Amino acid sequence: MKRFKLIVAYDGTNYCGWQRQPKEDTIEGELNKALFRLTGENIQVIGASRTDAGVHACGNVAVFDSETSIPGERLLFALNSILPEDIRVMDSCQVSDTFHPRYCDTRKTYEYRIQTGRTLDPTARLYSHWIPYHLDVEAMNRAGQYLVGTHDFKSFCVAKTQVKTTVRTVTAIKVWQKDIVDGIEGSDSGKETDSPQNIVIRVEGEGFLYNMVRIISGTLFKVGLHAWAPEYVQDILAGCDRTLAGETLPAKGLFLKQIEYL
Amino acid sequence: MKRFKLIVAYDGTNYCGWQRQPKEDTIEGELNKALFRLTGENIQVIGASRTDAGVHACGNVAVFDSETSIPGERLLFALNSILPEDIRVMDSCQVSDTFHPRYCDTRKTYEYRIQTGRTLDPTARLYSHWIPYHLDVEAMNRAGQYLVGTHDFKSFCVAKTQVKTTVRTVTAIKVWQKDIVDGIEGSDSGKETDSPQNIVIRVEGEGFLYNMVRIISGTLFKVGLHAWAPEYVQDILAGCDRTLAGETLPAKGLFLKQIEYL
């Protein structure tokens, strides 16, 4: 028996998330199906991160054991010829039999994308959260820095979460504005605050609570609107109360960018 | 009766192109439906460019006449509240009764997107043409320059096209490589030629033949592969024979970026 590791990218739009469910299409389910077709073995992959319905990934990690004779570094080609186009294996290799994608130290990088401007860009609609208001990116970035470090993130996870501790370590947060690559140049939109922004909130950490990145993004969003001062994020942390933080932004704006094994 | 101009952006994925068809969803059809709901008038918009099925746009132009009392610059908000999310009016205004989107001098800008790398990026799959081979962008750009100017583009349009003349003027062609904004950083892909490229072919002209931009892109693609020398594009032009040029690349990679009225 050999153990293999896959780097998996997907467009989460048409899936009920990673985790296999009886009647629903999921990333895990599609990978298991493809591996069965490829090897004839009843393989259940283990995912590093069980992303929610609608969340996208560039670098999730799946691990499985198999008797296959296909060399690890060739598996991606075999699997990509079977998998639907919205799920791609970006890389594959054999790993040690003791490697487990969840029970080891990792650094995960998530990105949340927000697009502003008076109208949404149709070709970005599935991959970013659109809001018509101009956001103060610099203030959002400043606010984010208060969250970096080891804190109790109770205010930044779903209220009735079933975890031993809500203390987590965020290693970096960066909020910046990308040039609009697609689209809106075509329109002659007027005032400065009309001109669209392509905002990325990057959150890097050693583990996250349920919905944590989407709640952090919703909180920084309020700062970007000048509804809250950047410093207020400290009070939200200290309060340890979900109702203090911003809303949970929609799944479609969230990307699991990569998982590093430390 | 007043005449209005709309700047229209759309994701062409789910439409049979611009032009209204009895049983199919089209951009024109959706705009007419939305305008009927908004005004109660049986309005038929006139489009500047009747893009093919699957082609995207950031700045197509639609014109229509209406008795509506809604100010031109407010129309986009009213229409966007009715239109499906994959069609957006980016801008709107009233224009002179004599303005016609097709019978006046325009400069159109198209972009064709190609993504390379050993695997396609799932979230780019609907908006770019993926090929696993590394392309020589510099050679493609050099080849493109032979097409700039006024030429007989017979080799670059569908063989049995019904036009008086196949002479057209291309004002600019630029081929460049964008940084990969999304995705593949996550994978540890190996050799230099494995590392993905995000290539844009921008073609600017005063009018195009049917499939012209997609055939130009397919021709530059062959140059990028080093199958053809950049200079060979001159022979293709001179030959006035469709079979000499490259293949017509798929619609999903094509964007109508903008239309300028001169």
Side-chain angles (χ1 to χ4, degrees):
Chain A
M1 209 59 146
K2 288 168 284 184
R3 181 158 291 188
F4 297 96
K5 173 188 170 196
L6 309 175
I7 308 282
V8 187
Y10 44 88
D11 176 341
T13 307
N14 302 317
Y15 295 97
C16 301
W18 175 276
Q19 197 158 17
R20 199 157 48 92
Q21 292 172 38
K23 287 186 192 54
E24 309 284 5
D25 290 338
T26 66
I27 312 298
E28 194 183 28
E30 294 297 324
L31 287 169
N32 291 344
K33 262 191 281 174
L35 283 163
F36 178 75
R37 276 191 55 192
L38 189 63
T39 65
E41 304 168 49
N42 265 313
I43 291 171
Q44 315 279 313
V45 300
I46 301 166
S49 179
R50 284 161 290 187
T51 52
D52 282 342
V55 173
H56 314 291
C58 313
N60 206 344
V61 169
V63 163
F64 65 94
D65 295 330
S66 170
E67 305 282 7
T68 182
S69 58
I70 303 170
E73 60 281 4
R74 305 294 304 165
L75 268 173
L76 75 151
F77 301 108
L79 285 168
N80 285 338
S81 67
I82 299 172
L83 284 162
E85 257 208 341
D86 53 5
I87 303 175
R88 293 288 98 177
V89 178
M90 307 308 285
D91 210 352
S92 60
C93 61
Q94 191 175 342
V95 290
S96 91
D97 303 358
T98 61
F99 179 81
H100 189 290
R102 280 204 295 274
Y103 307 140
C104 41
D105 293 342
T106 59
R107 182 178 299 117
K108 290 180 182 169
T109 304
Y110 284 92
E111 282 182 8
Y112 197 91
R113 309 230 181 108
I114 298 175
Q115 211 178 74
T116 78
R118 59 183 188 176
T119 52
L120 126 174
D121 166 6
T123 60
R125 78 193 187 285
L126 303 173
Y127 311 108
S128 58
H129 174 49
W130 171 71
I131 51 131
Y133 318 107
H134 188 88
L135 297 181
D136 180 343
V137 173
E138 194 276 321
M140 293 169 77
N141 191 54
R142 236 175 332 117
Q145 303 322 306
Y146 293 112
L147 298 173
V148 176
T150 303
H151 306 286
D152 186 341
F153 282 95
K154 200 169 189 324
S155 300
F156 294 88
C157 70
V158 279
K160 35 184 155 11
T161 181
Q162 300 294 347
V163 287
K164 272 194 235 65
T165 169
T166 48
V167 173
R168 292 290 185 276
T169 300
V170 168
T171 51
I173 291 185
K174 186 183 169 202
V175 184
W176 75 95
Q177 186 171 329
K178 277 186 340 201
D179 296 341
I180 294 286
V181 191
D182 307 332
I184 299 146
E185 297 120 338
S187 91
D188 18 74
S189 54
K191 293 174 264 57
E192 203 280 326
T193 52
D194 267 358
S195 58
Q197 303 168 280
N198 218 334
I199 295 167
V200 182
I201 300 169
R202 175 176 283 169
V203 184
E204 217 179 78
E206 287 161 13
F208 292 91
L209 298 160
Y210 187 55
N211 277 357
M212 182 167 155
V213 178
R214 288 162 62 187
I215 297 168
I216 287 175
S217 301
T219 303
L220 299 185
F221 164 60
K222 293 273 243 177
V223 173
L225 285 172
H226 293 155
W228 293 342
E231 301 67 31
Y232 179 61
V233 169
Q234 296 170 292
D235 306 342
I236 298 174
L237 260 181
C240 287
D241 172 359
R242 169 68 186 94
T243 64
L244 296 174
E247 60 176 324
T248 305
L249 293 190
K252 67 176 185 172
L254 186 62
F255 285 71
L256 171 57
K257 289 295 282 187
Q258 67 171 321
I259 301 174
E260 297 163 275
Y261 286 87
L262 309 172
Chain B
M1 209 59 147
K2 288 168 284 183
R3 180 158 292 188
F4 297 96
K5 174 187 170 196
L6 308 175
I7 307 281
V8 187
Y10 44 88
D11 176 340
T13 306
N14 301 319
Y15 295 97
C16 300
W18 175 276
Q19 196 159 18
R20 201 156 47 91
Q21 291 173 39
K23 286 186 193 53
E24 310 285 5
D25 291 338
T26 66
I27 312 299
E28 193 182 26
E30 295 296 324
L31 287 169
N32 292 344
K33 262 191 281 174
L35 283 163
F36 178 75
R37 276 191 54 192
L38 188 65
T39 65
E41 304 169 46
N42 264 312
I43 291 171
Q44 314 279 312
V45 301
I46 300 165
S49 179
R50 284 160 289 188
T51 52
D52 282 343
V55 173
H56 314 291
C58 314
N60 206 343
V61 169
V63 163
F64 65 95
D65 295 330
S66 169
E67 305 283 8
T68 182
S69 57
I70 302 170
E73 60 282 3
R74 305 294 307 166
L75 268 173
L76 75 150
F77 301 107
L79 284 168
N80 286 337
S81 67
I82 298 173
L83 284 163
E85 257 208 341
D86 53 5
I87 303 175
R88 293 287 97 177
V89 177
M90 307 308 286
D91 209 353
S92 60
C93 61
Q94 190 174 342
V95 289
S96 90
D97 304 358
T98 61
F99 178 80
H100 189 291
R102 281 204 296 274
Y103 308 138
C104 42
D105 293 342
T106 59
R107 183 179 298 117
K108 290 181 182 168
T109 304
Y110 284 93
E111 282 182 7
Y112 197 91
R113 310 231 180 107
I114 299 175
Q115 210 178 74
T116 78
R118 60 182 185 176
T119 52
L120 127 171
D121 167 6
T123 60
R125 77 192 188 286
L126 302 173
Y127 310 109
S128 58
H129 174 50
W130 171 73
I131 51 131
Y133 319 107
H134 188 89
L135 296 182
D136 180 343
V137 173
E138 195 276 322
M140 293 169 77
N141 192 55
R142 235 173 334 115
Q145 304 321 305
Y146 293 112
L147 298 173
V148 175
T150 303
H151 306 285
D152 186 341
F153 283 95
K154 200 169 190 320
S155 300
F156 294 89
C157 70
V158 279
K160 34 185 159 12
T161 180
Q162 300 294 346
V163 288
K164 274 194 233 65
T165 168
T166 50
V167 173
R168 293 290 184 276
T169 299
V170 168
T171 50
I173 291 186
K174 186 183 169 204
V175 184
W176 75 95
Q177 186 170 330
K178 277 186 339 201
D179 296 342
I180 296 284
V181 191
D182 307 332
I184 299 148
E185 297 119 337
S187 91
D188 17 76
S189 54
K191 292 175 264 58
E192 203 280 329
T193 52
D194 266 358
S195 58
Q197 302 168 280
N198 219 333
I199 295 167
V200 182
I201 300 170
R202 174 175 283 169
V203 184
E204 216 179 80
E206 287 161 12
F208 294 91
L209 298 159
Y210 188 56
N211 277 357
M212 183 167 154
V213 178
R214 288 162 61 186
I215 297 168
I216 288 175
S217 301
T219 303
L220 298 185
F221 164 60
K222 293 273 240 176
V223 172
L225 285 171
H226 293 155
W228 293 342
E231 300 68 30
Y232 179 61
V233 168
Q234 296 171 292
D235 305 343
I236 298 173
L237 261 180
C240 288
D241 172 0
R242 170 67 186 97
T243 64
L244 296 174
E247 59 176 325
T248 305
L249 293 189
K252 66 176 187 171
L254 186 62
F255 285 71
L256 171 56
K257 290 293 283 187
Q258 67 172 320
I259 302 174
E260 297 162 275
Y261 287 86
L262 308 172

